[in-house]
Amino acid sequence: MPGSLAQRRRRWHRRSPAVPLHVVGTSDGPHYEVIIDEAVIRRPTAPLEVLAAQYRVLAEAGDHIIVRVLPADATIEAFTVPKSSFSLYTYHDPQDGTIASVDTLIDDTVVTNVSDVRRLELYDRIREAAVSPQASADLLSEAADNMMERIMS
């Protein structure tokens, strides 16, 4: 397909609508922060068209959505590497505490016991090892560009 990468990207965006993130809505709505391992970006797990669109949405996310990429060569403090992906949920009211959801091969496990949740709070160390939101947006855009090149070639 002829044209510059920017022209091809515009044509592709017209053909392939991105799925919007409906995680947050208003300025007083929830905040969402995610850390994505670089391996997830580099190893396709879905059709390239789908991934490229998703990466673009993440790269252009608003103020209430913070996306960080954990580089493959990052060193996490105390070398604490999570064995699987997990989510931490905190609430506006401190009385509600923090709960966690740990992804397993078969199911997700919800963790509410305070001492068990504390063991999962290595999130801060992972965040420190991840690149900035702007650098992460650049990585996601670059990955989407590379996928577009593969699609168009």
Side-chain angles (χ1 to χ4, degrees):
M1 193 174 266
S4 70
L5 176 60
Q7 291 168 329
R8 287 181 282 166
R9 185 184 302 149
R10 280 192 295 275
R11 281 194 301 270
W12 185 79
H13 276 292
R14 285 193 300 268
R15 290 190 327 222
S16 177
V19 177
L21 281 176
H22 293 291
V23 178
V24 296
T26 63
S27 61
D28 62 340
H31 293 258
Y32 181 75
E33 181 175 21
V34 61
I35 300 173
I36 302 171
D37 195 302
E38 184 179 9
V40 172
I41 297 169
R42 304 292 180 204
R43 185 178 305 116
T45 56
L48 295 180
E49 303 85 17
V50 172
L51 291 175
Q54 290 176 346
Y55 293 170
R56 292 249 180 259
V57 169
L58 290 172
E60 298 165 6
D63 294 337
H64 285 56
I65 301 170
I66 299 170
V67 180
R68 296 178 189 270
V69 173
L70 180 66
D73 62 353
T75 302
I76 300 170
E77 180 187 327
F79 303 101
T80 321
V81 180
K83 294 180 182 176
S84 65
S85 60
F86 64 94
S87 301
L88 293 175
Y89 299 91
T90 57
Y91 300 92
H92 183 67
D93 184 348
Q95 296 290 338
D96 290 336
T98 300
I99 64 170
S101 174
V102 180
D103 298 343
T104 67
L105 184 60
I106 299 171
D107 206 353
D108 291 346
T109 302
V110 175
V111 180
T112 57
N113 180 287
V114 174
S115 62
D116 291 338
V117 170
R118 280 195 192 116
R119 291 174 50 207
L120 291 170
E121 290 184 342
L122 59 100
Y123 188 83
D124 290 334
R125 291 184 292 228
I126 297 169
R127 182 191 298 123
E128 289 298 317
V131 298
S132 72
Q134 183 57 56
S136 298
D138 293 344
L139 282 169
L140 288 162
S141 293
E142 177 187 334
D145 288 346
N146 291 340
M147 289 177 183
M148 290 297 298
E149 283 292 321
R150 289 172 60 184
I151 293 166
M152 300 299 184
S153 62

